[in-house]
Amino acid sequence: GAVVSQHPSWVICKSGTSVKIECRSLDFQATTMFWYRQFPKKSLMLMATSNEGSKATYEQGVEKDKFLINHASLTLSTLTVTSAHPEDSSFYICSAREDRKSSYEQYFGPGTRLTVT
Amino acid sequence: GNSVTQMEGPVTLSEEAFLTINCTYTATGYPSLFWYVQYPGEGLQLLLKATKADDKGSNKGFEATYRKETTSFHLEKGSVQVSDSAVYFCAARENTGFQKLVFGTGTRLLVSP
């Protein structure tokens, strides 16, 4: 149980275009989802926290107009990188949590590698 | 906020060697502490956790003890296997608000036969 999927697993896009990444909880309802960015040989940096049906809360320094997050249902959150540039190339990871459970454990997706050319 | 520092890698060991990966944290309160493992091409998986001082988390032969006095949560395993080769992340979770996780930089472990 507690499986989180991401789609696509990798994507290449041209500079100036937008790309959408999906994060799905397959066997549980995710009241809260998190989006992280992972640079090579670096840690995971939290970008934003999203709760179903409400606006995402972005971490300091993350441009909310550039990284649009939508958590429209209890099983799906999307991250849209708008007007992508080469510096947005990175590994994006989502996690999901079922807040009814007091453990507050996050389950992680396998990640999406974005390359902007 | 919380921060986590863990030793730089890679850590290269022979099979059956003893493993220690150091992790220390700074926090204003008393966070919960975690070790996650990321195998090649896969997402992060929870390896073990501890929620209060002196708790010991253990799983698959790995152990870590929550040491409040030294603000540490070092990961240990008595005898590593080739299949343990992965990246290991130490993390701290604030126990208020969104219960966000803060990660260390990750330590790559390479185990040779």
Side-chain angles (χ1 to χ4, degrees), chain B residues 47-110:
Chain B
L47 180 60
L48 54 83
K49 66 180 180 182
T51 57
K52 62 183 186 298
D54 300 324
D55 267 3
K56 177 186 282 189
S58 61
N59 186 25
K60 300 180 180 179
F62 291 90
E63 292 184 339
T65 301
Y66 191 144
R67 302 284 188 201
K68 192 175 75 170
E69 62 276 13
T70 54
T71 63
S72 64
F73 193 55
H74 304 323
L75 181 68
E76 296 181 337
K77 186 174 185 181
S79 176
V80 293
Q81 305 300 311
V82 173
S83 57
D84 293 327
S85 298
V87 181
Y88 293 82
F89 291 91
C90 184
R93 189 185 70 200
E94 59 189 28
N95 289 320
T96 59
F98 284 125
Q99 310 261 342
K100 295 185 291 188
L101 281 168
V102 175
F103 288 88
T105 51
T107 302
R108 182 174 298 278
L109 171 64
L110 301 170

Side-chain angles (χ1 to χ4, degrees), chain A residues 57-78:
Chain A
T57 301
Y58 290 81
E59 295 297 302
Q60 193 170 8
V62 178
E63 298 177 62
K64 61 181 180 181
D65 294 331
K66 180 167 187 63
F67 299 100
L68 301 179
I69 291 171
N70 184 289
H71 190 166
S73 78
L74 285 172
T75 59
L76 174 64
S77 176
T78 60

